[in-house]
Amino acid sequence: VGGVRIENLKKQYGQGANAFLALKNVNMQVAPGEVVGLIGPSGSGKSTLLKCLGAIIDPTEGVMKLGDQLIYDNGWKVRDLRALRRDKIGFVFQSPYLIPFLDVVDNVALLPMLAGVSNGQARQKAMHLLEALDVAHRAQAMPSQLSGGEQQRVAIARGLVNQPPIILADEPTAPLDSERALAVIRILNDMAREYETAIIVVTHDEKIIPTFRRIYHIRDGITYEEAGQGRPIN
Ligand code: ADP
Ligand code: ADP
């Protein structure tokens, strides 16, 4: 039903003499409930792939299915990418990008409020995640008052709060210490299992790489699949 499926995806930047094939052949399948790692050196195409997956840029060729929906098929694509981004995809970025004039709980509650959930319920959902991420005691603080690690955990709560079927996380644990980095991965795994979410984590973080059961490596725009260690987290 859900999950992510990518077949023979290509992405070319520029045209003619300036053409550059940033994605040459990307194949990826993430089942609902699965958390996979995506690892590759600088310039290998990770950002380009995340932007294709996030419906921020269009691929050039191939097939991409997100959740139960085919969104790109060799030139054909769905019309309403904004709705797709809102309903299907949770983003957790490298930099937190919190809204500076909203306190922590409202930064997280904003998305469910925009989706029509009552303010009380949205804040309750937000608090639930903030507790799981060990930042509930900062709920009434403004983003500027938080440490980098606290901001990152709030940004993770915001990416998860609407329970999207797909979560794209770009270096989500980079600024966190080992214990907190593993806590984030535990939450992503719990989330995946509980809500059948398909989660892709772009990372270089040696603290979390051993936890993945499956890893995609990308090199010069080509993906390779590898079995991970799947080390239990605790
Ligand atoms: P990564 O995220 O792994 O560092 P990127 O996806 O950012 O890799 O880039 C992959 C390749 O595509 C690089 O060679 C980069 O220079 C090139 N590239 C990225 N974005 C563009 C663009 N908008 N126009 C042209 N080339 C680009
Ligand atoms: P990162 O290292 O985080 O992947 P980059 O520094 O590679 O980011 O790229 C930053 C931005 O510049 C991205 O949006 C990328 O698409 C764009 N970019 C990267 N390389 C090129 C390029 N050769 N031409 C145009 N845009 C590029």
Side-chain angles (χ1 to χ4, degrees):
V1 183
V4 173
R5 201 182 51 146
I6 293 182
E7 287 170 8
N8 305 318
L9 204 75
K10 295 179 174 49
K11 171 62 185 179
Q12 175 180 308
Y13 289 117
Q15 295 290 333
N18 290 322
F20 178 75
L21 205 52
L23 299 181
K24 297 190 176 76
N25 189 9
V26 169
N27 291 280
M28 197 174 222
Q29 281 206 42
V30 189
E34 197 180 19
V35 182
V36 304
L38 175 64
I39 303 176
S42 184
S44 59
K46 301 181 300 296
S47 308
T48 301
L49 175 53
L50 277 188
K51 285 179 206 168
C52 288
L53 279 164
I56 293 163
I57 61 174
D58 293 334
T60 308
E61 222 182 284
V63 174
M64 187 161 73
K65 204 175 165 190
L66 298 183
D68 49 11
Q69 199 174 359
L70 183 63
I71 70 156
Y72 183 86
D73 187 351
N74 288 303
W76 176 92
K77 61 168 180 168
V78 292
R79 289 248 185 91
D80 199 349
L81 292 178
R82 192 185 299 186
L84 181 86
R85 275 195 294 270
R86 188 190 55 217
D87 299 337
K88 304 251 184 207
I89 305 168
F91 295 95
V92 178
F93 296 108
Q94 225 165 337
S95 330
Y97 298 117
L98 299 175
I99 299 172
F101 51 83
L102 293 180
D103 67 13
V104 160
V105 67
D106 280 351
N107 259 279
V108 179
L110 181 65
L111 280 176
M113 286 177 189
L114 291 176
V117 176
S118 76
N119 289 7
Q121 265 189 324
R123 292 205 175 98
Q124 212 174 332
K125 284 175 85 154
M127 284 308 295
H128 183 72
L129 275 167
L130 291 170
E131 273 157 29
L133 285 153
D134 196 23
V135 275
H137 59 293
R138 305 295 270 149
Q140 262 69 55
M142 301 306 279
S144 62
Q145 299 173 302
L146 305 181
S147 73
E150 287 173 338
Q151 290 185 21
Q152 185 63 10
R153 283 177 281 146
V154 175
I156 290 165
R158 184 187 49 190
L160 308 189
V161 70
N162 263 355
Q163 294 156 19
I166 293 146
I167 290 172
L168 305 176
D170 190 1
E171 297 281 5
T173 61
L176 304 179
D177 64 30
S178 190
E179 195 176 328
R180 292 204 158 113
L182 289 171
V184 165
I185 293 301
R186 190 184 317 126
I187 289 160
L188 291 177
N189 277 294
D190 290 349
M191 176 98 191
R193 223 184 351 247
E194 192 170 347
Y195 301 111
E196 302 256 279
T197 317
I199 304 183
I200 299 173
V201 181
V202 174
T203 190
H204 293 102
D205 188 346
E206 297 295 341
K207 304 189 290 288
I208 65 168
I209 287 173
T211 68
F212 297 115
R213 288 206 189 86
R214 232 151 48 77
I215 292 171
Y216 285 94
H217 292 271
I218 181 165
R219 238 173 212 293
D220 294 330
I222 301 173
T223 47
Y224 307 88
E225 192 188 328
E226 179 196 59
Q229 295 177 39
R231 184 189 295 171
I233 309 156
N234 254 317

